[in-house]
């Protein structure tokens, strides 16, 4: 039901127009693709203990493939890290027809549509926060949230009605749920080495360690 509610959302005309236009114009590399071009729901294990929250649907990633963190550079980093810890059956994911199975993990974005220049407005973030709160409530076994970037981090804080400071690697406790802040694995961060593979994997190692402590 939540997936259908997200997909049918039309609260943000600017985002809907942009996502649909991208789906029509496409890019030369993906000219033969039938783009998703709609709001993008989360994906993963309904019994997940870990929730990973990104910024928004990537214009030629999730907005194209119809699945979060699928078909773009950020998705490569996310899925490969999950694979290394045995939380994904695939090392890479390029389309939603692949049988990607996630264990103990749910993936979503703070903003469900692709925003121009990856910059959603405050109103758009607020509109989507309702869905993020519903996703958090849906995950009854949730123990750890990994926030990818400041927008995702602030959106989680908004969902929980708390004020916290973003810093890569920082861990907070919110009502018994651990919140881990991480730089987003965007090309802007990974190619400049602001986020290295080792520091990225360390984020997931912290999450797994906290789950083991819970058990």
């Amino acid at each position: 039901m939540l997936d259908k509610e997200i997909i049918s959302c039309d609260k943000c005309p600017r985002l809907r127009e942009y996502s649909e236009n991208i789906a029509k114009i496409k890019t030369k590399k993906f000219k033969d693709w039938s783009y998703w071009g709609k709001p993008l729901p989360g994906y993963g294990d309904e019994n997940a203990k870990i929730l990973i929250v990104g910024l928004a649907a990537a214009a030629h990633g999730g907005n194209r493939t119809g699945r979060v963190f699928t078909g773009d550079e950020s998705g490569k980093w996310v899925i490969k890290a999950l694979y290394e810890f045995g939380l994904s059956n695939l090392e890479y994911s390029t389309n939603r027809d692949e049988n990607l199975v996630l264990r103990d993990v749910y993936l979503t974005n703070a903003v469900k549509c692709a925003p121009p220049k990856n910059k959603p407005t405050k109103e758009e973030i607020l509109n989507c926060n309702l869905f993020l709160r519903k996703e958090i409530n849906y995950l009854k076994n949730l123990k750890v949230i990994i926030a990818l970037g400041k927008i995702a981090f602030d959106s989680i804080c908004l969902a929980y009605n708390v004020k916290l400071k973003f810093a890569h690697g920082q861990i907070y406790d919110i009502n018994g749920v651990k919140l881990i802040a991480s730089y987003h694995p965007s090309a802007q961060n990974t190619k400049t080495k602001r986020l290295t593979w080792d520091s990225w994997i360390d984020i997931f190692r912290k999450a797994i360690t906290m789950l083991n402590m819970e058990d």
Side-chain angles (χ1 to χ4, degrees), residues 132-188:
L132 183 58
R133 292 199 302 272
K134 287 185 177 183
E135 286 171 317
I136 290 170
N137 290 332
Y138 168 73
L139 300 173
K140 303 301 183 185
N141 298 318
L142 185 61
K143 301 295 183 184
V144 179
I145 301 176
I146 302 175
L148 307 182
K150 191 173 186 301
I151 288 179
F153 181 85
D154 289 345
S155 292
I156 293 163
C157 291
L158 180 62
Y160 278 100
N161 194 28
V162 296
K163 290 186 178 181
L164 302 170
K165 185 176 180 180
F166 176 86
H168 179 77
Q170 184 67 48
I171 301 173
Y172 297 97
D173 187 293
I174 309 176
N175 301 332
V177 174
K178 301 297 185 182
L179 171 59
I180 307 176
S182 171
Y183 292 136
H184 194 287
S186 63
Q188 180 181 349

Side-chain angles (χ1 to χ4, degrees), residues 80-209:
K80 188 176 181 181
L82 295 177
Y83 179 81
E84 290 205 6
F85 285 96
L87 304 178
S88 168
N89 67 321
L90 299 178
E91 187 174 4
Y92 300 102
S93 180
T94 60
N95 66 81
R96 72 174 182 271
D97 293 326
E98 292 171 332
N99 185 31
L100 175 66
V101 179
L102 301 180
R103 181 176 65 83
D104 276 343
V105 175
Y106 195 86
L107 307 174
T108 195
N109 286 308
V111 175
K112 309 307 182 188
C113 295
K117 298 181 181 179
N118 279 328
K119 292 182 178 180
T121 65
K122 289 183 179 180
E123 182 181 3
E124 290 161 352
I125 293 170
L126 185 61
N127 284 341
C128 265
N129 201 255
L130 170 64
F131 294 131
L132 183 58
R133 292 199 302 272
K134 287 185 177 183
E135 286 171 317
I136 290 170
N137 290 332
Y138 168 73
L139 300 173
K140 303 301 183 185
N141 298 318
L142 185 61
K143 301 295 183 184
V144 179
I145 301 176
I146 302 175
L148 307 182
K150 191 173 186 301
I151 288 179
F153 181 85
D154 289 345
S155 292
I156 293 163
C157 291
L158 180 62
Y160 278 100
N161 194 28
V162 296
K163 290 186 178 181
L164 302 170
K165 185 176 180 180
F166 176 86
H168 179 77
Q170 184 67 48
I171 301 173
Y172 297 97
D173 187 293
I174 309 176
N175 301 332
V177 174
K178 301 297 185 182
L179 171 59
I180 307 176
S182 171
Y183 292 136
H184 194 287
S186 63
Q188 180 181 349
N189 288 329
T190 59
K191 291 184 177 179
T192 59
K193 303 298 182 182
R194 186 185 193 197
L195 179 65
T196 65
W197 182 255
D198 286 344
S199 63
W200 172 243
I201 284 296
D202 190 54
I203 292 292
F204 287 80
R205 189 173 292 113
K206 287 178 179 179
I208 296 298
T209 299

Side-chain angles (χ1 to χ4, degrees), residues 28-48:
K28 187 176 180 180
K29 183 179 179 180
F30 301 116
K31 61 182 178 63
D32 296 328
W33 273 78
S34 177
Y35 275 52
W36 174 256
K38 298 186 283 286
L40 193 63
Y43 179 84
D45 186 349
E46 64 180 16
N47 296 310

